[in-house]
């Protein structure tokens, strides 16, 4: 059984039945070991993807405050080559962003061929926070699921590999983390009244997340629900899904690079012959 819950396209999602404290029967030490092994394979595949220049990778992270988006990014970045990876964070839209369609700012940030981009929050905020706070009409919001699916299909058709993670924590765990921030002088800067007021809307957010997961998990852009109460298990589950996502492409990238290598060697040989260079 994979560590993260794959949301089968068209299936219903019951977040209550998915344990945020799940840990696959592992202890931290074993989980860290497995993550490290997987991470090294992911690193190798990301390098291949970069060199082959045939695909790009878009990784979307969503979850409520304190769910561990920043921590997950740190964990992923410790394996991938940061020269070909970027992080794009989505905050409250600026005036300019708000004066465009909701996908504009996301489209601008998607990775080019060979590259990888991690979305820290994403275009999904426009069916999450926007829906919970009724920032647009219900009609407009409802249409967005389909618009998101079309957008992601366009990216996939252009070579982007998409994988989306919902970091699933419990309400109790969130409280613990928020209180821990107050205790830790180095973390207190993260405190925000908004975190506590948004927490009052927990149920509405869970419903909005559920609807987004159900409406927008597709073959070309699947959602995974990641048990995230244990940070070490969260990082393992993400790394495993990442490896599973990239693996089917590995052979193609490898073969393509081999062909390119043969071509380069031929060119080099011709150059040496022409210039009478001996090695
Ligand atoms: P943080 O990720 O903690 O820095 O917070 C960013 C804040 O921006 C969160 O409260 C998000 O819900 C909010 N945000 C992101 N995108 C949107 C959006 N499209 N509309 C309104 N608020 C947003
Ligand atoms: Mg925050």
């Amino acid at each position: 059984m994979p560590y993260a819950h794959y949301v089968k396209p068209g299936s219903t999602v019951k977040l209550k039945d998915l344990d945020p404290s799940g840990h696959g029967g592992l202890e931290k030490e074993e989980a860290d070991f497995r993550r490290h092994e997987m991470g090294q394979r992911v690193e190798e595949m990301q390098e291949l993807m970069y060199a082959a220049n045939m695909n790009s990778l878009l990784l979307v992270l969503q979850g409520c405050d304190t769910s561990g988006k920043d921590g997950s990014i740190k964990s992923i970045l410790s394996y991938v080559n940061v020269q070909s990876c970027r992080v794009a964070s989505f905050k409250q839209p600026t005036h300019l962003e708000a004066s465009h369609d909701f996908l504009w700012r996301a489209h601008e940030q998607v990775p080019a061929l060979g590259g990888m981009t991690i979305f820290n929050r994403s275009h999904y905020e426009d069916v999450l926070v926007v829906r919970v706070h009724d920032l647009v009409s219900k009609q407009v919001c409802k249409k967005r699921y389909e618009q998101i699916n079309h957008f992601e299909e366009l990216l996939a058709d252009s070579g982007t590999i998409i994988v989306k993670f919902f970091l699933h924590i419990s309400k109790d765990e969130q409280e613990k983390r928020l209180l821990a921030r107050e205790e830790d002088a180095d973390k207190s800067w993260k405190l925000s009244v908004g975190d506590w007021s948004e927490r009052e809307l927990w149920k509405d957010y869970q419903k909005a997340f559920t609807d987004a997961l159900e409406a927008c998990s597709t073959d070309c852009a699947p959602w995974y629900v990641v048990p995230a109460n244990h940070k070490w298990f969260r990082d393992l589950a993400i790394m495993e899904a990442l490896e599973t996502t990239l693996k089917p492409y590995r052979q193609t990238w490898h073969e393509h690079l081999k062909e390119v290598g043969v071509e380069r060697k031929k060119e080099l040989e011709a150059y040496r012959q022409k210039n009478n260079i001996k090695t």
Side-chain angles (χ1 to χ4, degrees):
M1 273 271 282
Y3 298 132
H5 173 78
Y6 165 69
V7 180
K8 205 166 163 244
S11 68
T12 50
V13 175
K14 288 207 171 74
L15 287 178
K16 277 202 174 122
D17 294 345
L18 300 171
D19 184 8
S21 292
H23 53 78
L26 300 173
E27 301 282 339
K28 182 179 184 302
E29 200 179 36
E30 172 67 13
D32 285 349
F33 176 77
R34 290 189 189 194
R35 190 197 70 229
H36 187 60
E37 302 264 291
M38 288 169 186
Q40 285 175 323
R41 293 193 288 270
V42 165
E43 181 179 11
E44 189 221 331
M45 288 193 278
Q46 190 234 353
E47 290 269 16
L48 283 179
M49 180 182 80
Y50 168 73
N53 207 40
M54 301 165 82
N55 295 96
S56 59
L57 175 65
L58 174 62
L59 197 154
V60 171
L61 283 173
Q62 286 286 167
C64 60
D65 294 311
T66 76
S67 61
K69 297 180 289 294
D70 295 335
S72 304
I73 292 171
K74 254 196 206 167
S75 159
I76 298 163
L77 289 185
S78 62
Y79 290 100
V80 299
N81 184 342
V82 290
Q83 289 204 86
S84 47
C85 181
R86 291 179 50 247
V87 178
S89 297
F90 295 86
K91 311 265 180 196
Q92 260 197 348
T94 61
H95 184 70
L96 178 67
E97 287 169 349
S99 58
H100 284 272
D101 69 87
F102 80 101
L103 291 168
W104 180 76
R105 66 176 184 161
H107 207 163
E108 205 188 15
Q109 298 284 355
V110 300
L113 288 179
M116 164 176 179
T117 303
I118 302 174
F119 276 10
N120 182 353
R121 301 188 190 265
S122 66
H123 45 296
Y124 281 92
E125 289 293 323
D126 291 275
V127 289
L128 294 167
V129 62
V130 167
R131 171 176 145 169
V132 169
H133 287 279
D134 288 322
L135 301 180
V136 296
S137 74
K138 283 199 168 56
Q139 255 175 328
V140 168
C141 198
K142 212 168 165 201
K143 246 185 141 180
R144 288 187 171 177
Y145 299 109
E146 207 181 317
Q147 290 164 340
I148 288 175
N149 286 342
H150 282 143
F151 168 60
E152 292 177 355
E153 192 182 349
L154 167 71
L155 300 180
D157 286 348
S158 314
T160 306
I161 302 164
I162 306 169
V163 59
K164 303 178 296 201
F165 296 104
F166 166 60
L167 306 183
H168 184 35
I169 60 164
S170 61
K171 200 176 176 194
D172 287 347
E173 179 64 20
Q174 187 191 46
E175 184 176 21
K176 261 195 235 163
R177 292 184 184 185
L178 286 174
L179 292 174
R181 277 183 190 175
E182 289 183 39
E183 298 302 311
D184 185 343
D186 289 339
K187 294 244 174 88
S188 297
W189 65 271
K190 275 192 175 185
L191 291 171
S192 135
V193 174
D195 292 343
W196 287 93
S197 57
E198 289 306 281
R199 189 176 149 73
E200 301 290 320
L201 303 165
W202 184 269
K203 271 197 182 150
D204 296 341
Y205 270 106
Q206 295 291 300
K207 177 83 181 83
F209 277 123
T210 302
D211 287 350
L213 295 168
E214 288 182 350
C216 301
S217 196
T218 58
D219 286 327
C220 69
W223 271 109
Y224 287 86
V225 179
V226 178
N229 275 3
H230 297 292
K231 295 173 182 173
W232 48 268
F233 188 70
R234 169 200 77 200
D235 292 342
L236 171 68
I238 290 176
M239 201 55 81
E240 184 193 46
L242 208 46
E243 185 184 6
T244 308
T245 303
L246 294 177
K247 220 170 162 181
Y249 298 88
R250 192 183 179 284
Q251 190 66 18
T252 312
W253 294 333
H254 198 66
E255 277 165 18
H256 175 70
L257 288 173
K258 245 167 74 180
E259 281 170 24
V260 173
V262 169
E263 274 309 302
R264 294 281 182 279
K265 276 191 198 162
K266 271 192 203 157
E267 285 165 15
L268 201 55
E269 226 166 84
Y271 167 80
R272 284 182 181 138
Q273 264 183 8
K274 188 173 165 220
N275 296 289
N276 212 9
I277 299 170
K278 290 201 168 56
T279 54

